[in-house]
């Protein structure tokens, strides 16, 4: 097993990509601490893991709030003793509007959940990781950090910001035994976020959701989206010793959409 005796804190793990990562990490031996705002989804994932003999626990938190971030980290540490692996995955897309119509409070919320929460949780995790000379942080960014699409400026800015945070934290952490990397998924069409975005884009473009999706997927080399499990497998690689020499990288898992 790749993550035996490891404790992983995975944000946004009630559904979608976070849930897939939690299930896979638990199968690989990690004790997984789950967090998001919706308790029923977290409880369901915890049950899925424990019913298969894995270790999991959860606490609800709105990660746009500093107090919630601090509380959830401390509950995770109390429950499993430490955090060896931090996966910053939680987030929402935000309004699908052009820059000139983007409400500032919504911009701030998108930045807060993707970028500020990742910064705060890194800040809380690093001292323990440095003391143990071991740890991994994985930031879930996006193809949106590397491409140019309309109507999601806060999301793209937050995801690009995560790549900067990844490189700088990696530079500080590398000689303390801690590796920091990022993942850039393409369209994971099965998730709530992706479906909601597809429907909204279709409305804006005055096409059917099927047409909108077909057009987007047609621009990807593989001609299809990615599954949550495909993203989780890449996350497992980056969070395990299989990637022991990978530091400060942003890995595209997008079927061939971005090439840097
Ligand atoms: N799906 C894609 O195509 C795609 C592509 C590239 C990158 N990504 C990234 O992958 C990550 C997961 O996305 P997904 O597609 O799996 O979306 P999802 O199914 O909507 O899951 C998002 C998760 O984040 C949690 N979350 C959202 N806002 C939160 C908040 N304020 N505080 C705490 N938790 C919060 C949600 O739970 P609650 O709502 O219960 O809080 C949920 O568990 C995101 O960072 C996303 O940007 C997704």
């Amino acid at each position: 097993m790749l993550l035996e005796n490891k404790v992983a804190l995975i944000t946004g793990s009630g559904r979608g990509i976070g849930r897939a990562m939690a299930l896979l990490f638990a199968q690989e031996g990690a004790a997984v601490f789950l967090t998001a705002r919706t308790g029923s989804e977290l409880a369901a994932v915890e049950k899925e893991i424990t019913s298969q003999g894995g270790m999991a626990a959860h606490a609800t938190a709105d990660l746009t709030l500093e107090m919630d971030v601090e509380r959830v980290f401390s509950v995770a540490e109390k429950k499993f003793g430490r955090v060896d692996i931090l996966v910053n995955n939680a987030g929402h897309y935000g309004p699908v509007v052009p820059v000139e119509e983007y409400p500032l409070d919504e911009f701030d919320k998108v930045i807060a959940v993707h970028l500020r929460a990742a910064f705060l949780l890194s800040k809380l995790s690093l001292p323990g990781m440095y003391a143990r000379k071991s740890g991994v942080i994985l930031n879930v960014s996006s193809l949106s950090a590397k491409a140019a699409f309309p109507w999601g400026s806060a999301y793209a800015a937050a995801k690009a910001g995560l790549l900067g945070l990844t490189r700088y934290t990696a530079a500080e952490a590398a000689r303390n035994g801690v590796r920091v990397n990022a993942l850039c998924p393409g369209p994971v069409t099965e998730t709530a976020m992706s479906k909601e975005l597809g429907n909204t884009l279709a409305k804006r473009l005055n096409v059917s959701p099927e047409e909108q999706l077909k057009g987007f997927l047609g621009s990807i080399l593989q001609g299809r989206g990615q599954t949550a499990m495909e993203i989780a497998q890449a996350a497992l690689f980056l969070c395990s010793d299989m990637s022991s020499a990978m530091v400060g990288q942003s890995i595209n898992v997008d079927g061939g959409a971005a090439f840097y």
Side-chain angles (χ1 to χ4, degrees):
M1 288 201 283
L2 291 173
L3 301 180
E4 208 159 13
N5 298 322
K6 300 289 183 197
V7 176
L9 167 57
I10 304 176
T11 69
S13 35
R15 58 175 188 263
I17 294 170
R19 170 181 167 272
M21 292 191 290
L23 295 174
L24 186 62
F25 283 24
Q27 272 169 28
E28 289 295 331
V32 181
F33 197 88
L34 314 161
T35 189
R37 290 167 302 184
T38 312
S40 55
E41 291 186 344
L42 296 171
V45 178
E46 181 182 323
K47 198 169 166 200
E48 250 182 298
I49 292 173
T50 52
S51 66
Q52 290 164 20
M55 272 181 294
H58 77 270
T60 55
D62 179 347
L63 298 175
T64 61
L65 307 173
E66 186 180 359
M67 265 174 57
D68 273 28
V69 174
E70 284 169 357
R71 179 179 46 77
V72 90
F73 184 80
S74 132
V75 175
E77 265 196 332
K78 269 195 199 113
K79 176 70 192 170
F80 291 125
R82 61 190 188 281
V83 172
D84 300 306
I85 298 167
L86 167 66
V87 182
N88 291 307
N89 167 75
H92 71 286
Y93 193 82
V96 184
V97 295
V99 170
E100 68 276 16
E101 289 172 22
Y102 211 107
L104 183 59
D105 60 333
E106 297 288 350
F107 184 92
D108 287 343
K109 270 189 220 157
V110 172
I111 299 289
V113 67
H114 291 281
L115 184 56
R116 190 165 169 270
F119 166 74
L120 288 170
L121 282 169
S122 301
K123 208 174 155 174
L124 291 164
S125 302
L126 285 165
M129 291 178 175
Y130 288 166
R132 295 186 294 278
K133 293 255 170 245
S134 160
V136 175
I137 298 177
L138 178 63
N139 293 320
V140 179
S141 178
S142 168
L143 170 61
S144 298
K146 297 183 171 181
F149 304 116
W151 312 322
S153 50
Y155 183 80
K159 292 308 201 185
L162 268 179
L163 299 188
L165 179 68
T166 299
R167 288 191 292 267
Y168 270 63
T169 317
E172 294 165 10
R175 293 185 189 208
N176 289 307
V178 177
R179 296 186 302 107
V180 186
N181 289 294
L183 264 184
C184 295
V188 181
T189 52
E190 75 200 65
T191 75
M193 178 191 292
S194 207
K195 284 186 182 145
E196 203 184 309
L197 175 60
N199 289 337
T200 312
L201 283 172
K203 260 188 216 144
R204 274 200 82 103
L205 296 165
N206 209 15
V207 296
S208 71
E210 294 73 24
E211 277 176 292
Q212 187 279 327
L213 185 60
K214 199 173 161 206
F216 186 26
L217 298 184
S219 68
I220 294 171
L221 291 189
Q222 285 185 326
R224 66 166 178 87
Q226 295 76 57
T227 66
M229 198 41 79
E230 286 177 315
I231 308 305
Q233 281 160 347
L236 173 62
F237 171 69
L238 288 173
C239 290
S240 75
D241 287 343
M242 296 277 284
S243 61
S244 53
M246 295 184 67
V247 168
Q249 302 301 311
S250 63
I251 304 303
N252 305 332
V253 187
D254 61 8
F259 297 95
Y260 71 99

